[in-house]
């Protein structure tokens, strides 16, 4: 655990021992025991838990309650420490949503050996988000306390529901966090000091507001540039969490290209900037007909950008929505080409980690597959594997392998699982794992009991249905060995069942 936590454990003990409810001996005990801990180092989890248990015993409160109180105390301090990385327009839910990226920039980047908890979030709306917490430490009471502390810091009122919890036998903890609007409420500090806040006061005007970064940064409209480097901008193609994609004209080679430029608000975060550069380098290192081609990586007015081959078509997700059920031969051909592109990436030691229909582009009249968005890609075995895309689940929930929900290392079999989910969806017109919320869907994946494809798509040949079920096997050891083998098996299925 990061030494910063030990630093604030001492401050927490100081406050408890000198506050209105004094606990004799607590301060001297904790201060003496923590004098060797440095804020910049990493220490065993057991030592932090032992100190927290000592505090709980000293004040006569259960450990979970003490964890929650410590979280409330800790959150405002961490907000101050992370000040340079926090967008001034953020409020409580924005900060919770981006906590994973802040953890990386503050902890993992400086201490590669640190193992903070995995936090996955999905923003349901301006006033609600869902969060999955997974850590062998099982410190979910601390996570709840941190969220309450963030609300105290911003003078807001939130409610926290916990649909699943490891202490109730669930595979992970999940929270539904909602902001309460327009009420006057009392925020309770860890030392029982009551502070009055109003949540309907106008928000302060920050410099970023004038640039369009209100609320969730990068999602508001910014002026479109006329030019990026040697490329004339013709129009906006799309926008995502990390940047915008423009249609541009290459003045030197007289051709159309697509440029993905990083959002200014994101570029201020060193961790996000690193992820953006990682995407460009990962994608540029793979040369294959079914992987997007990167022409150039550059920087314009301090913003990194990637120049890509311009694709004329639409994503597989859009295509499926537009045309409905796809024929068997087209479904197999598309997934074979995905597998071939993945095999090329895997040969370079890269795992995509976010294979889904939105990241599969169908180019031109032939609908040729091009795998796009290597923003989550990593080198196999890389210690930086927990890099995430800000404000989004690492891998869209419906296509995430079960090992991603836990703390197991990811490898190429995770991409094979995502491919299997895509093929199941194309053949059955439904997902193998479904739920009314992110939490419910992740729980379904973690249970590993999808409806057999033959039960929901009786017209699919048994051999194909059995193959798809192997692709989405719960245990990755039961999936096909590699993407090239998957491509070859799909080619064989095409030959046997799709002769023209």
């Amino acid at each position: 655990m990061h030494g910063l936590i030990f630093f604030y454990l001492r401050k927490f003990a100081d406050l408890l021992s000198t506050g209105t409810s004094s606990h004799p001996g607590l301060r001297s005990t904790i201060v003496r025991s923590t004098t060797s801990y440095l804020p910049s180092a990493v220490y065993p989890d057991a030592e932090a838990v032992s100190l927290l248990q000592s505090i709980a015993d000293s004040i006569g409160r259960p450990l979970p309650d003490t964890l929650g109180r410590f979280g409330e105390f800790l959150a405002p301090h961490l907000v101050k420490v992370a000040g340079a990385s926090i967008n001034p327009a953020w409020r409580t839910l924005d900060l919770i949503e981006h906590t994973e990226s802040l953890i990386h920039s503050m902890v993992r980047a400086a201490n590669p050996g640190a193992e903070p908890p995995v936090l996955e979030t999905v923003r349901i709306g301006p006033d609600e988000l869902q969060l999955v917490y997974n850590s062998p430490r099982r410190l979910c009471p601390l996570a709840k306390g941190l969220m309450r502390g963030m609300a105290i810091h911003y003078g807001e009122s939130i409610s926290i529901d916990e649909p699943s919890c490891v202490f109730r036998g669930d595979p992970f903890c999940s929270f539904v966090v909602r902001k309460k609007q327009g009420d006057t409420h009392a925020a309770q500090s860890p030392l029982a000091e009551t502070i009055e806040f109003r949540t309907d006061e106008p928000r302060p005007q920050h410099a970023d507001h004038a640039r369009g970064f209100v609320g969730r940064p990068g999602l508001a409209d910014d002026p479109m540039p006329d030019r990026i480097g040697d490329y004339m901008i013709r129009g906006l193609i799309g926008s995502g969490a990390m940047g915008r994609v423009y249609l541009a004209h290459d003045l030197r080679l007289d051709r159309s290209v697509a440029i993905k430029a990083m959002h200014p608000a994101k570029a201020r975060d060193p961790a996000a900037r690193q992820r953006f550069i990682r995407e460009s380098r990962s994608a540029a290192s793979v040369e294959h007909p079914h992987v997007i081609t990167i022409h150039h990586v550059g920087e314009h007015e301090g913003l990194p950008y990637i120049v890509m081959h311009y694709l004329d078509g639409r994503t597989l997700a859009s295509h499926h929505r537009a045309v409905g059920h796809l024929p068997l031969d087209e479904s197999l051909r598309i997934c074979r080409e995905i597998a071939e592109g993945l095999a090329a990436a895997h040969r370079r030691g890269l795992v995509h980690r976010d294979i889904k229909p939105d990241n599969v582009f169908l180019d031109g009249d032939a609908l040729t597959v091009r795998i796009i968005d290597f923003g989550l890609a990593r080198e196999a075995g890389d210690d930086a594997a927990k890099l995430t895309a800000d404000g989004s689940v690492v891998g869209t929930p419906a296509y995430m392998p079960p090992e991603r929900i836990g703390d197991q290392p990811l490898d190429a079999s995770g991409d094979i699982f995502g491919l299997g989910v895509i093929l199941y969806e194309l053949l059955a017109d439904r997902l193998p794992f479904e739920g009314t919320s992110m939490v419910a869907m992740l729980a379904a994946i973690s249970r590993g009991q999808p409806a057999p494809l033959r039960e929901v798509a009786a017209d699919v040949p048994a051999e194909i249905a059995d193959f798809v079920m192997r692709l989405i096997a719960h245990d990755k050891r039961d999936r096909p060995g590699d993407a090239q083998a998957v491509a070859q098996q799909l080619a064989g299925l095409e030959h046997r069942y799709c002769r023209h």
Side-chain angles (χ1 to χ4, degrees), residues 67-76 78-79 91-99 119-121 128-133 139-164 173-179 185 187-188:
L67 285 168
R69 297 181 71 190
F70 176 56
E72 292 180 16
F73 163 81
L74 180 62
L78 293 183
V79 170
R91 307 299 282 178
T92 304
L93 295 192
D94 303 312
L95 183 57
I96 295 172
E97 182 180 14
H98 292 86
T99 293
L119 303 175
E120 316 279 18
T121 62
E128 180 178 342
L129 66 76
Q130 296 176 0
L131 179 147
V132 169
Y133 166 93
L139 298 179
C140 47
L142 177 63
K144 286 190 288 186
L146 286 167
M147 289 186 282
R148 291 194 298 267
M150 293 176 190
I152 290 172
H153 172 78
Y154 284 111
E156 296 182 325
S157 178
I158 61 173
S159 65
I160 303 175
D161 297 325
E162 193 172 7
S164 63
C173 296
S174 62
F175 307 100
V176 178
V177 187
R178 298 183 179 91
K179 176 186 172 184
H185 66 282
Q188 203 73 14

Side-chain angles (χ1 to χ4, degrees), residues 445-468:
I445 293 173
S446 68
R447 287 192 296 267
Q449 298 176 348
L453 182 56
R454 286 281 287 175
E455 292 185 4
V456 296
D459 58 332
V460 174
E463 184 183 9
I464 295 177
D466 291 342
F467 176 67
V468 174

Side-chain angles (χ1 to χ4, degrees), residues 379-390:
E379 294 183 3
D382 191 346
D383 288 337
K386 289 188 174 64
L387 286 173
T388 62
D390 293 359

Side-chain angles (χ1 to χ4, degrees), residues 15 47 63 268 323 326 330 384 393 434 442 475:
L15 286 173
E47 295 186 30
L63 179 59
R268 292 199 299 267
V323 305
L326 302 185
E330 185 176 3
V393 172
E434 296 186 321
L442 291 177
D475 189 332

Side-chain angles (χ1 to χ4, degrees), residues 183-205:
D183 61 322
T184 301
H185 66 282
Q188 203 73 14
S189 77
L191 301 180
E193 178 186 2
T194 299
I195 308 170
E196 292 291 329
F197 297 107
R198 286 196 59 82
T199 62
D200 55 356
E201 294 177 353
R203 291 169 60 172
Q205 292 297 311

Side-chain angles (χ1 to χ4, degrees), residues 386-467:
K386 289 188 174 64
L387 286 173
T388 62
D390 293 359
S392 66
V393 172
V394 183
T396 303
Y399 306 88
M400 285 171 53
E403 57 267 24
R404 182 61 193 88
I405 301 172
D407 58 358
Q408 301 178 47
L410 288 177
D411 54 27
S413 64
D415 287 348
I416 291 174
F417 181 92
L419 172 61
V421 175
I422 291 176
L423 184 51
Y424 185 112
E425 182 181 17
L426 294 180
L427 296 177
D429 288 323
R430 55 156 284 181
L431 291 164
F433 307 97
E434 296 186 321
T436 57
S437 67
M438 177 192 74
V439 170
M441 182 170 289
L442 291 177
I445 293 173
S446 68
R447 287 192 296 267
Q449 298 176 348
L453 182 56
R454 286 281 287 175
E455 292 185 4
V456 296
D459 58 332
V460 174
E463 184 183 9
I464 295 177
D466 291 342
F467 176 67

Side-chain angles (χ1 to χ4, degrees), residues 68-262:
R69 297 181 71 190
F70 176 56
E72 292 180 16
F73 163 81
L74 180 62
H77 292 287
L78 293 183
V79 170
K80 293 178 182 178
V81 171
S85 300
I86 294 177
N87 190 302
W90 287 356
R91 307 299 282 178
T92 304
L93 295 192
D94 303 312
L95 183 57
I96 295 172
E97 182 180 14
H98 292 86
T99 293
E100 172 71 10
S101 65
L102 293 175
I103 286 175
H104 169 75
S105 62
M106 293 177 59
V107 179
R108 295 192 186 107
N111 298 277
E115 288 291 341
V118 174
L119 303 175
E120 316 279 18
T121 62
V122 165
R123 192 66 175 265
I124 304 302
D127 299 326
E128 180 178 342
L129 66 76
Q130 296 176 0
L131 179 147
V132 169
Y133 166 93
N134 195 1
S135 170
R137 300 184 184 95
R138 297 160 70 93
L139 298 179
C140 47
L142 177 63
K144 286 190 288 186
L146 286 167
M147 289 186 282
R148 291 194 298 267
M150 293 176 190
I152 290 172
H153 172 78
Y154 284 111
E156 296 182 325
S157 178
I158 61 173
S159 65
I160 303 175
D161 297 325
E162 193 172 7
S164 63
C165 179
V166 293
F167 292 108
R168 299 199 300 265
D170 297 309
F172 52 82
C173 296
S174 62
F175 307 100
V176 178
V177 187
R178 298 183 179 91
K179 176 186 172 184
K180 297 179 180 179
Q181 293 285 356
D183 61 322
T184 301
H185 66 282
Q188 203 73 14
S189 77
L191 301 180
E193 178 186 2
T194 299
I195 308 170
E196 292 291 329
F197 297 107
R198 286 196 59 82
T199 62
D200 55 356
E201 294 177 353
R203 291 169 60 172
Q205 292 297 311
H206 301 288
D208 282 343
H209 281 65
R211 299 177 65 187
F213 308 125
V214 180
R216 302 177 66 189
L219 299 184
D221 288 336
D222 301 320
M224 187 171 66
D226 295 324
R227 181 168 177 159
I228 295 178
D230 293 326
Y231 307 92
M232 298 298 297
I233 303 302
R234 289 180 171 176
L236 179 67
I237 297 175
S239 180
M242 290 296 290
R244 286 184 162 188
V245 181
Y246 300 101
L247 172 63
H249 183 72
D250 186 338
L251 297 176
R252 292 176 301 174
L253 299 179
D254 190 25
R255 63 180 176 182
S256 294
V257 295
I259 296 181
K260 184 174 183 179
M262 195 174 189

